[in-house]
Amino acid sequence: MASTPPGQRKLQILQALAAMLEQPKGEKITTAALARRLEVSEAALYRHFASKAQMFEGLIDFIESSVFGLINQIADRQQDGLAQARDILAMLLQFAANNPGMTRVLIGDALVNEDERLQQRMNQFHDRVELALKQALRLAVAEGRGHEADVAARADLLVSFVLGRWHRYAKGGFQSSPGQDAAVQIALLVQ
């Protein structure tokens, strides 16, 4: 790792942390184990991150920028509110399938025994996802499809659906995709 540029080193550390989170048993990740995996000293990790919490913040930054970048793309290209909501749900499930280790961060499983602000940040992430779904559902109401009074409850239900799928995926050892049968389920939830 000595000849690697500093920005690349940080990325390697985050990639190794994400890979460790993909282990189905989900054991607690220590900086010692992460350093062993990268074949560096713990001190080398701390040259790039002040704490393990900061490493998790790097993963959360990746999740937020990826997911909300994709939500913005969906909103830009899809003018139909219900289709927007369906596309957001499908993307969230696909994101987890493509990033199994990140799924443990998304559900908070990897953040147990870590700094409390990390879980608070994930709670805010879930709130922002719910807000994006509310916006899509309000667009549908403006199109004459649905009732304003139902928007908040429907958005909450949709977030709960996604969290449940993520949870089953992570707790099931990443064996069955969170997107399995999702199209049918999403069609039942968003009509």
Side-chain angles (χ1 to χ4, degrees):
M1 218 163 137
S3 64
T4 309
Q8 188 65 27
R9 284 188 196 125
K10 282 181 99 164
L11 181 60
Q12 286 175 339
I13 293 167
L14 293 176
Q15 287 171 334
L17 177 57
M20 290 175 78
L21 289 169
E22 290 179 18
Q23 299 310 309
K25 291 194 192 234
E27 285 132 23
K28 184 169 168 40
I29 305 230
T30 63
T31 53
L34 181 58
R36 273 193 308 277
R37 184 179 185 104
L38 290 164
E39 299 177 349
V40 299
S41 67
E42 282 185 79
L45 296 178
Y46 289 117
R47 280 195 285 275
H48 302 286
F49 294 96
S51 64
K52 187 166 64 158
Q54 202 177 69
M55 293 176 205
F56 277 110
E57 285 177 340
L59 293 181
I60 294 170
D61 288 341
F62 169 78
I63 290 168
E64 288 177 338
S65 65
S66 300
V67 167
F68 293 112
L70 291 168
I71 286 174
N72 290 338
Q73 288 176 22
I74 290 167
D76 288 345
R77 80 165 185 268
Q78 183 57 265
Q79 301 307 310
D80 177 287
L82 293 180
Q84 219 177 81
R86 285 190 293 268
D87 289 353
I88 290 170
L89 295 173
M91 176 275 296
L92 291 168
L93 297 177
Q94 189 59 49
F95 180 84
N98 292 344
N99 301 282
M102 301 295 181
T103 305
R104 292 192 51 222
V105 176
L106 287 164
I107 64 170
D109 185 45
L111 305 177
V112 172
N113 301 320
E114 299 299 336
D115 191 308
E116 187 179 311
R117 78 180 189 285
L118 296 170
Q119 185 58 59
Q120 290 170 348
R121 195 159 162 203
M122 287 316 304
N123 293 344
Q124 290 170 342
F125 169 85
H126 299 147
D127 291 345
R128 287 178 62 199
V129 167
E130 185 172 341
L131 181 61
L133 289 165
K134 283 179 184 175
Q135 289 172 333
L137 295 172
R138 284 192 181 106
L139 179 59
V141 168
E143 297 163 343
R145 298 162 65 199
H147 303 285
E148 181 63 34
D150 299 338
V151 167
R154 288 183 78 192
D156 180 61
L157 173 66
L158 298 176
V159 169
S160 296
F161 164 74
V162 169
L163 285 169
R165 295 299 299 228
W166 286 344
H167 189 81
R168 286 185 71 184
Y169 179 53
K171 293 300 183 181
F174 310 114
Q175 295 302 307
S176 61
S177 171
Q180 183 179 337
D181 299 324
V184 172
Q185 293 170 346
I186 290 169
L188 290 169
L189 291 169
V190 183
Q191 45 183 319

